[in-house]
Amino acid sequence: MLKDSFTRRDTSVLGRWWWTVDRWTLSVVYIIMILGVVLSFAASPPVADRLGLGGFYFVKRHILMIIPAMMVMLSVSLMTPKSIRRLSTLMYIGGLALLVLTLLNGAEVKGARRWLSFGSFTLQASEFVKPVFAVLSAWMLSEKLRNPSFPGISLSFLFLVLFVGLLILQPDFGMTVVAVTTWCGQLFIAGIPLFWIGLVVALAVFASLGAYLVLPHVARRVDQFLDPGSGDPNHDLYQVTQSLDAFKNGGIFGRGPGEGIVKRHIPDAHADFVFSVAGEEFGIFLCLLIVGLFAFVVIRSLFRVINDQSLFIVLATSGILLQFGLQALINMASTLHLIPTKGMTIPFISYGGSSMMALGIAMGIVLALTRKRHASTDLI
C-alpha cells in the first residue's frame, strides 16, 4: 500500500524515506514485534493472575509499549547521520545523569539499583545509554582515522569508562559485558592497534575476578553454573530447571498454544524466560525461527553498510547490531543454561518498557544509517 502511495519522483521526506530505507529489515523487525505480542498472550496471563493483576494486564501493557516503540523507530529512521550524532550526544549526557540519579534514589531489587521509579512508571536509564554509546564511540573512532591528531581513541575510551563505571556501581555486569564487547568490536573493525583491545580485555578479566571474589551473588551464580549440584534446585536453580524442562516437554512441535506448564511456575515467564514458553508451547521450530529472524536483521544490515564509504556509518551500525544480537544470544543461552543466568530481555519479545523503547531508538538508528545514500545532502 505504501509502495503505491509513493513514486520514485516523490521528493517529500516520507517519499525519500520509503525508497531508501531497508524495507526487508523493517518488515522482519515488525515480525519479531508481532511474535512478542503473541508470546505475551501465551506467557503473561498466569504471571498476572499470580500477582492479582488480571489475566491480560501484561498483555495490554506490552501492546501499549510496542506501539510507541514502533513510532519512535520510524521517527528516528527518518533522521540523517548528523542528526543521529546530535541526538546521541544529548541522550548520552542525559542518560549518565539518570544513571547517577539511579544510584542515589533508585529502587534496590535483589541487591542492585537499576531502576528509577516515577509513580507507576519505571525507567532503566542504562538501556537508553547503550545504543547511543555505540554511536558516539563510532564517531570518535572515525574522526581519529580521518584526522590522526584527533584523540578519538582516548575519547571513546572515556565514554566507555564513564558508562561502565556507573554500571558496575549498580551493579549490572550483563550490560557491562555488552558495552565492553561493543567497544572492542568497533576497535577491531576500525583496525585500531590491538593494544587497546588487550587493555580492555585485561581490565574486564580483572573486574570479573574482583566481582567473583567480592560479590556473593555473582560467586553463587558462577558456582551454580559450573557445578549445578551446589545449588538448591527448588530455590537457587528453580527458574533454570523449569526452563530446561520446558524445552524437553516442548520437543519438536510443542505442546500447543496455551498448553504450556512452565509459565505457571516461573516468575519471569513473560520477561527473561519467554523463550522457554516459546519452546514448550510451539517447539523447536519457533525457537529456530526466532533465532533466524535475529540473524537476518544482523546479517542483512551489516551487508547494507559493509562497503559504505563512511567509516562512522559502518562502525555505528556494527556496534548497535552487535548489541542487538548479543542481547538476544545472552537471553537464549541463559534459558538453555549455556551461560550463568542473567536478567537480560530478548529484544522486542520480552516484556519491558525501557528495553522496548530503547530498542526502538536503536533499530531506528540502524534503519537510518542503512538507508541508500545519493548525492542529496539530507542523507549524509
Side-chain angles (χ1 to χ4, degrees):
M1 184 178 295
L2 279 174
K3 190 174 183 179
D4 296 333
S5 301
F6 300 120
T7 66
R8 290 189 179 275
R9 295 181 180 179
D10 189 345
T11 58
S12 66
V13 173
L14 288 178
R16 292 196 304 271
W17 172 84
W18 175 250
W19 290 109
T20 57
V21 75
D22 183 4
R23 296 190 292 274
W24 278 100
T25 296
L26 179 63
S27 299
V28 172
V29 170
Y30 277 147
I31 292 173
I32 294 174
M33 289 179 171
I34 293 171
L35 277 176
V37 174
V38 172
L39 289 175
S40 179
F41 274 101
S44 66
V47 180
D49 286 336
R50 286 198 301 270
L51 298 175
L53 299 173
F56 293 101
Y57 174 82
F58 290 115
V59 174
K60 295 175 182 177
R61 289 180 66 89
H62 188 97
I63 295 173
L64 288 175
M65 290 181 294
I66 277 285
I67 293 173
M70 289 181 174
M71 296 174 63
V72 167
M73 182 177 69
L74 292 178
S75 298
V76 174
S77 70
L78 292 167
M79 300 174 69
T80 63
K82 184 176 181 180
S83 298
I84 287 173
R85 288 194 291 264
R86 291 175 176 173
L87 173 66
S88 299
T89 301
L90 294 175
M91 286 186 60
Y92 182 81
I93 295 172
L96 289 188
L98 289 175
L99 283 173
V100 173
L101 186 60
T102 301
L103 293 174
L104 297 176
N105 297 314
E108 184 173 336
V109 179
K110 299 179 180 179
R113 293 183 183 272
R114 302 174 187 172
W115 300 86
L116 275 175
S117 298
F118 303 95
S120 60
F121 176 74
T122 57
L123 175 70
Q124 188 175 5
S126 58
E127 290 284 357
F128 294 90
V129 178
K130 181 175 61 176
V132 299
F133 159 71
V135 174
L136 293 182
S137 176
W139 186 11
M140 296 300 101
L141 293 176
S142 62
E143 287 297 315
K144 169 64 178 179
L145 295 180
R146 189 178 67 86
N147 179 11
S149 63
F150 182 77
I153 301 178
S154 300
L155 288 174
S156 66
F157 183 67
L158 176 62
F159 293 151
L160 174 69
V161 170
L162 291 175
F163 183 30
V164 167
L166 292 172
L167 289 175
I168 292 176
L169 291 175
Q170 288 185 350
D172 188 345
F173 294 105
M175 188 77 74
T176 298
V177 170
V178 172
V180 172
T181 303
T182 299
W183 193 73
C184 290
Q186 289 178 318
L187 287 182
F188 181 79
I189 294 172
I192 300 298
L194 294 179
F195 164 78
W196 288 93
I197 299 178
L199 175 62
V200 174
V201 170
L203 291 174
V205 171
F206 178 78
S208 300
L209 180 60
Y212 178 82
L213 296 175
V214 174
L215 300 176
H217 73 280
V218 173
R220 184 170 63 253
R221 286 189 178 185
V222 174
D223 291 341
Q224 291 169 1
F225 172 74
L226 297 175
D227 181 15
S230 65
D232 182 357
N234 296 318
H235 179 64
D236 298 324
L237 301 175
Y238 178 74
Q239 295 203 105
V240 173
T241 302
Q242 293 292 322
S243 175
L244 293 176
D245 287 342
F247 287 109
K248 294 177 184 177
N249 295 334
I252 297 177
F253 301 105
R255 298 171 62 96
E259 299 300 320
I261 299 174
V262 66
K263 60 190 178 184
R264 304 173 190 173
H265 306 292
I266 295 182
D268 296 326
H270 63 313
D272 298 344
F273 286 87
V274 68
F275 193 61
S276 304
V277 177
E280 183 176 32
E281 298 197 3
F282 300 97
I284 192 173
F285 285 124
L286 181 63
C287 293
L288 291 176
L289 174 63
I290 292 173
V291 173
L293 291 173
F294 281 108
F296 178 88
V297 171
V298 173
I299 296 173
R300 166 83 180 185
S301 299
L302 284 175
F303 271 104
R304 292 274 292 193
V305 300
I306 194 168
N307 294 318
D308 200 294
Q309 294 182 351
S310 171
L311 182 60
F312 163 71
I313 290 174
V314 174
L315 292 177
T317 304
S318 301
I320 293 178
L321 290 173
L322 181 58
Q323 294 175 353
F324 184 73
L326 187 60
Q327 181 174 335
L329 183 63
I330 289 175
N331 177 277
M332 296 174 190
S334 295
T335 60
L336 290 166
H337 200 48
L338 298 176
I339 61 174
T341 55
K342 177 68 192 76
M344 188 169 288
T345 60
I346 185 169
F348 293 124
I349 293 180
S350 298
Y351 175 84
S354 295
S355 176
M356 199 78 70
M357 291 299 295
L359 285 165
I361 294 172
M363 294 312 299
I365 293 174
V366 169
L367 289 170
L369 296 179
T370 55
R371 288 170 61 185
K372 294 178 181 177
R373 286 169 186 82
H374 307 288
S376 178
T377 56
D378 65 337
L379 292 180
I380 62 176

